[in-house]
Amino acid sequence: MITSPYVGGVFQYENLIAEAIWNNRDKYNMIMVCDNSYWINWCIERNVKFIEGKMGMYKGSIEFAKNHPYIAALYSSFFSPQIKKIKEEKIELLVYGQQGMFLASKLIKQLCPIHDLMHRYETRFMERQQSKEDNIFRCELQFVTTVMVDSQLGKSQVIESYLQKRKKRPFIQVLPYVVSEHITDSKEEPVQTPDKYIFYPAQFWQHKNHLNLLKAVGILKKDIPDIHLILVGSEKNALNTIKEYIKENEMESFVTIYNFVSEEKLIYLYRHAAAMVMPSYFGPTNIPPLEAMALGCPAAVSNNYAMGEQVGDAGLLFDPDSPKEIADCISKLWNDSRLRETMREKGYQQIAKWRPKDFEKRLIETIDITLGI
């Protein structure tokens, strides 16, 4: 495990996987490979054996392995320090929590997620480098045993992008994201907020589409003078543009920006918001709508990819390219307390269709299928 709490959704996904395997420690002998203090402490607290370092390939070897898979696998079998460690520990399966992490080897079975292929489907965003990402996935899909995706659409995109001409394909398992129980069970920590606000938790990448959300707030501020937007997320490439837009349009009193906040503060912001509004261009699905529904926060999301399927009738949908549509959804949620209450109840019902125990059950089934047991 290599992510930290600052990473966002990928970190939460790794947590889900780690906890699910830990819950089945009577069935599996778990050894964690980790390269940061969070995961080392996680292992120490649970008395889990761990190896410090990374188990995936180095970026410089991706291109070679993609073009010469058999040579790369042969080299890895005899000279890779990771393979040496695998043999010493008698590891039968590597389970990765982050996409793009794998070894150029057929000596060890590997189970990897592919969270999204937006570098192919949303090429306008510079933060996703198509050639680099394509090399990683083309290489990965030659070596892994099993791939996990978040939706049927995600599965279709993997096949369409890389596997149509392949006679032998890795097993692809659909394993939708889920909100960890510790999110719903944790205590909240108060944050200074207006009495009423809308909320968007997302790292400040361009594809998260904060600008159209700000434009929507700009449309509403005349008719709803107390409208307020709270943004939370780690600094990325779009933050300066966002701050400049707020300043140029005199919106300082309508927008609050927090950087990374603790989980307890994040829970507070969800629970007390009038709505969570997510105009992201990326999919197929996302974690914030799940967190919002689980914590009783009405959600409005982009009608992109599988996001509508993810929220069902518990969420309002809009065109992420239309500030007016975003504004209309916000206005409905802001002004109609009955609608908010209805959406809260529908959100709880939607979340109940796929619980952490269901995620864990399917993950364990997937591990067993990959191991051939």
Side-chain angles (χ1 to χ4, degrees):
M1 300 297 184
I2 66 170
T3 61
S4 70
Y6 298 96
V7 174
V10 176
F11 167 75
Q12 296 174 43
Y13 187 76
E14 285 198 334
N15 251 310
L16 280 170
I17 289 176
E19 292 289 349
I21 297 174
W22 165 246
N23 289 341
N24 289 269
R25 56 192 177 276
D26 292 340
K27 183 174 184 178
Y28 308 116
N29 181 23
M30 183 180 189
I31 300 175
M32 185 82 82
V33 181
C34 41
D35 74 341
N36 63 58
S37 60
Y38 175 87
W39 288 110
I40 290 172
N41 290 332
W42 188 95
C43 292
I44 292 171
E45 289 171 3
R46 293 163 178 78
N47 197 28
V48 171
K49 185 175 182 178
F50 64 91
I51 302 169
E52 291 191 57
K54 293 183 179 180
M55 192 57 75
M57 291 182 66
Y58 294 103
K59 293 178 182 178
S61 58
I62 295 289
E63 180 71 24
F64 180 84
K66 177 179 75 73
N67 294 322
H68 308 284
Y70 297 107
I71 297 175
L74 187 64
Y75 177 87
S76 180
S77 298
F78 288 98
F79 300 104
S80 167
Q82 292 102 327
I83 293 294
K84 181 180 179 182
K85 181 61 67 174
I86 285 169
K87 290 178 178 178
E88 289 175 356
E89 298 291 347
K90 299 181 180 179
I91 295 171
E92 298 178 70
L93 172 66
L94 289 175
V95 181
Y96 300 92
Q98 185 175 5
Q99 66 180 23
M101 299 296 294
F102 62 98
L103 286 176
S105 174
K106 293 292 186 180
L107 291 181
I108 179 71
K109 293 179 178 180
Q110 301 177 63
L111 194 164
C112 302
I114 294 183
H115 300 304
D116 70 80
L117 297 177
M118 293 298 105
H119 66 283
R120 295 183 64 90
Y121 294 92
E122 294 288 349
T123 57
R124 53 187 157 156
F125 297 104
M126 294 298 293
E127 56 253 36
R128 297 301 293 269
Q129 302 174 32
Q130 182 163 357
S131 59
K132 172 189 169 184
E133 297 266 9
D134 259 10
N135 285 342
I136 291 173
F137 289 120
R138 288 184 190 280
C139 184
E140 176 179 340
L141 290 165
Q142 294 184 70
F143 292 100
V144 301
T145 316
T146 299
V147 173
M148 298 181 294
V149 295
D150 68 338
S151 60
Q152 287 294 339
L153 177 60
K155 179 176 180 177
S156 298
Q157 288 179 343
V158 170
I159 294 171
E160 176 184 62
S161 298
Y162 302 112
L163 299 175
Q164 288 192 82
K165 297 180 180 180
R166 288 269 299 274
K167 292 182 179 180
K168 187 175 182 180
R169 300 175 178 176
F171 174 59
I172 303 176
Q173 177 70 285
V174 176
L175 187 67
Y177 301 147
V178 69
V179 178
S180 175
E181 289 179 341
H182 81 268
I183 293 287
T184 52
D185 295 341
S186 293
K187 293 182 179 180
E188 60 185 42
E189 181 180 342
V191 181
Q192 186 174 358
T193 67
D195 292 336
K196 197 173 182 181
Y197 60 91
I198 55 174
F199 178 46
Y200 183 28
Q203 297 182 68
F204 291 97
W205 292 112
Q206 184 185 2
H207 71 263
K208 296 297 186 180
N209 198 21
H210 291 83
L211 282 181
N212 277 344
L213 179 53
L214 289 171
K215 291 175 182 178
V217 172
I219 293 171
L220 294 169
K221 66 181 184 179
K222 292 181 181 178
D223 294 329
I224 309 177
D226 62 337
I227 190 76
H228 199 89
L229 168 65
I230 294 181
L231 303 174
V232 168
S234 300
E235 295 184 19
K236 297 297 178 183
N237 66 348
L239 183 57
N240 288 337
T241 303
I242 292 164
K243 288 181 176 179
E244 288 172 7
Y245 184 90
I246 293 170
K247 184 177 181 180
E248 290 172 0
N249 291 274
E250 299 179 343
M251 295 179 65
E252 291 91 342
S253 62
F254 297 94
V255 184
T256 299
I257 297 178
Y258 293 113
N259 292 327
F260 176 81
V261 298
S262 68
E263 186 175 276
E264 293 77 13
K265 290 181 178 179
L266 188 69
I267 291 169
Y268 179 93
L269 289 167
Y270 273 120
R271 284 182 174 155
H272 296 270
M276 191 285 298
V277 183
M278 185 166 194
S280 176
Y281 287 110
F282 278 18
T285 62
N286 288 283
I287 290 178
L290 296 176
E291 293 177 331
M293 291 186 292
L295 294 168
C297 179
V301 302
S302 300
N303 191 15
N304 270 19
Y305 302 107
M307 290 182 68
E309 177 186 343
Q310 184 181 35
V311 298
D313 65 354
L316 300 184
L317 304 179
F318 54 74
D319 178 355
D321 284 317
S322 172
K324 185 180 183 306
E325 284 194 27
I326 299 172
D328 288 344
C329 286
I330 293 172
S331 179
K332 289 176 184 177
L333 290 165
W334 190 271
N335 292 313
D336 192 337
S337 59
R338 288 187 178 180
L339 175 62
R340 295 198 299 272
E341 186 57 36
T342 297
M343 290 182 63
R344 285 191 190 97
E345 292 304 316
K346 287 185 175 180
Y348 292 140
Q349 293 169 17
Q350 184 73 1
I351 285 292
K353 296 176 183 177
W354 182 251
R355 295 284 192 178
K357 63 181 181 181
D358 302 311
F359 180 97
E360 179 178 318
K361 182 173 182 285
R362 188 172 296 182
L363 175 64
I364 298 307
E365 289 173 352
T366 306
I367 289 173
D368 287 350
I369 289 170
T370 306
L371 287 169
I373 60 176

